[in-house]
Structures are given as structure tokens and as C-alpha cells.
Amino acid sequence: LYVSQMVQKDFQRLTTDNGQQHYTQTPNTTIYDQPTASKYLIKKMKRSNITTSLASSLLTFLLLLLPLLKSVSAVTDERPNFQIFQSRAKHHFTRAGEKVEGEEELRKVILGWYAIPGAEEYQICHQCVGRIDESTGRINEPEDGVAQAGRIQTVSIHFQCGGHPCLVLPAAPLGFNHFHLRYKKGGEWSLWSTVRNYNVGEIGPMEHQEL
């Protein structure tokens, strides 16, 4: 009945010379009898259903993908909370227990921080003041011919001190040492953290100082 009603609606009804009813679709000139017109509409409805199904599947896929895209965006736009749990300065000794020759004025620095959930890898930028924009956490573009300050070191999540990720610098200079951190999650790097400043000198624990 539904198809028959559609035939009446979508087709122009004609009456032939022998009194039989036929149907045509404007602007087409092809003339259909009612069964043929019904079959035509059924095919049209099936094609429409397939198109609707594909559109629905695409919409569902995009809705599932949206949280992932938001997650990636959130990581790349997020500045990590660089929470230090250990910061110590030591003399750099050889295995024989002697100070390393030529490094008497250097210190072995151990810097440990609390793990960031979901982090796949870390990077520490040592002495990168001026290289990293403190207001945005992004790397400043270097001027032509000017070397960038500091050194970036990659730290595996499996390298730990006391159950937390850490970095060991065997020969840090005396005076203020500056550290920034970022982490990788979902293959994307976060922004750099705000700077942590430590005045390396006396042997023992170090405290962050605002400069």
C-alpha cells in the first residue's frame, strides 16, 4: 500500500487508449505500468536506505574519533606539572672512589620527578633559559647563525630512582642549573614545563629557587 501510494505521488498517471493505467516520471518520457513503477520505487528506497546507513556509519566513526582528537590536542597544549621529589648534588667519583680528574669543580646531579600518568617518554632541557618561552612552553625560533642554548636529553620511563623517573647528570656546572620537562603521550609531545632552578654547589639536597 505504501509503495502504491508513492506511485500515485511520484509518478504522473496516464490512461492509454485501451483504458489501462500507466505511469511516467517527469521529465522522463518512459512510460511504466504500475508493477514496474512499484519495482522502480522499491529500488529507489533501497538505494536511499544504503546512503542513509553509510552516512550513519560515518557519523558514528567521527563521534568515536572526536575524543581521541581532543585527547591529542589536550596533550600537545598541556604544560606538565614538573613535581620534583629528589634533587641532590654529589661529587663525581671514579669506581676507585677518587674524584674525576678535571671535574673537581663539577657536580653529579640527580633530579627525580613524580611520574606523569600515561607518559611514554620524557625529555629534559638542561640550561634552556631563553630557548624555551616561559609564558607559552614553546621553543623560541633561533636567530640565523645563533646556536640554541641548552641540551635536550631523552629519559626512558624505565630509568628510575626510588620508583620514579629521574635524570643523572654526571658533570653539572657549579651555580644555577635550569631544567624544563616535557612528556610524550599518544605519540605527541606536550609543551615544556615551567623552569626549575637549582643552585649547584654544596653536596647534598638542593631546593628549587624562583629567579
Side-chain angles (χ1 to χ4, degrees):
L1 177 62
Y2 175 71
V3 173
S4 176
Q5 290 174 345
M6 290 185 65
V7 169
Q8 301 294 336
K9 179 181 178 181
D10 291 1
F11 287 79
Q12 179 182 353
R13 185 169 61 182
L14 301 175
T15 302
T16 59
D17 294 339
N18 59 7
Q20 293 182 347
Q21 292 183 352
H22 288 72
Y23 301 83
T24 186
Q25 226 185 1
T26 306
N28 296 334
T29 58
T30 304
I31 296 177
Y32 305 90
D33 58 20
Q34 183 163 348
T36 304
S38 297
K39 291 179 180 178
Y40 174 86
L41 282 175
I42 289 172
K43 289 182 179 179
K44 180 180 178 182
M45 289 163 59
K46 287 181 177 179
R47 287 196 298 267
S48 176
N49 288 339
I50 291 174
T51 302
T52 302
S53 177
L54 289 174
S56 177
S57 298
L58 179 60
L59 179 59
T60 300
F61 173 75
L62 291 176
L63 289 175
L64 292 172
L65 186 62
L66 186 59
L68 178 61
L69 295 176
K70 287 183 177 180
S71 175
V72 171
S73 176
V75 170
T76 54
D77 292 339
E78 178 182 325
R79 300 191 73 174
N81 185 13
F82 192 11
Q83 289 185 296
I84 303 297
F85 85 93
Q86 178 181 197
S87 52
R88 299 182 63 84
K90 299 181 177 182
H91 284 299
H92 190 197
F93 293 106
T94 65
R95 291 185 178 181
E98 299 176 352
K99 291 182 181 180
V100 177
E101 186 177 352
E103 295 186 2
E104 293 83 1
E105 299 303 317
L106 301 177
R107 297 291 183 266
K108 179 180 181 179
V109 168
I110 301 173
L111 189 69
W113 58 93
Y114 290 102
I116 297 173
E120 300 162 357
E121 201 171 32
Y122 298 97
Q123 283 187 337
I124 295 288
C125 202
H126 179 221
Q127 304 294 60
C128 293
V129 173
R131 180 176 181 178
I132 294 174
D133 190 323
E134 284 299 312
S135 63
T136 65
R138 300 183 185 278
I139 295 285
N140 290 318
E141 293 296 329
E143 298 180 9
D144 291 340
V146 178
Q148 288 187 305
R151 177 187 176 194
I152 295 176
Q153 299 186 60
T154 300
V155 181
S156 168
I157 59 173
H158 304 295
F159 189 84
Q160 298 182 349
C161 304
H164 293 283
C166 67
L167 173 70
V168 177
L169 293 177
L174 297 179
F176 276 103
N177 282 247
H178 314 282
F179 302 90
H180 294 80
L181 174 139
R182 68 175 181 174
Y183 68 98
K184 183 189 288 185
K185 184 176 181 180
E188 298 287 335
W189 286 105
S190 70
L191 297 174
W192 289 98
S193 70
T194 53
V195 67
R196 297 293 181 269
N197 308 298
Y198 295 95
N199 191 4
V200 176
E202 297 298 323
I203 303 304
M206 304 180 298
E207 295 293 332
H208 163 66
Q209 299 182 37
E210 293 290 345
L211 299 178

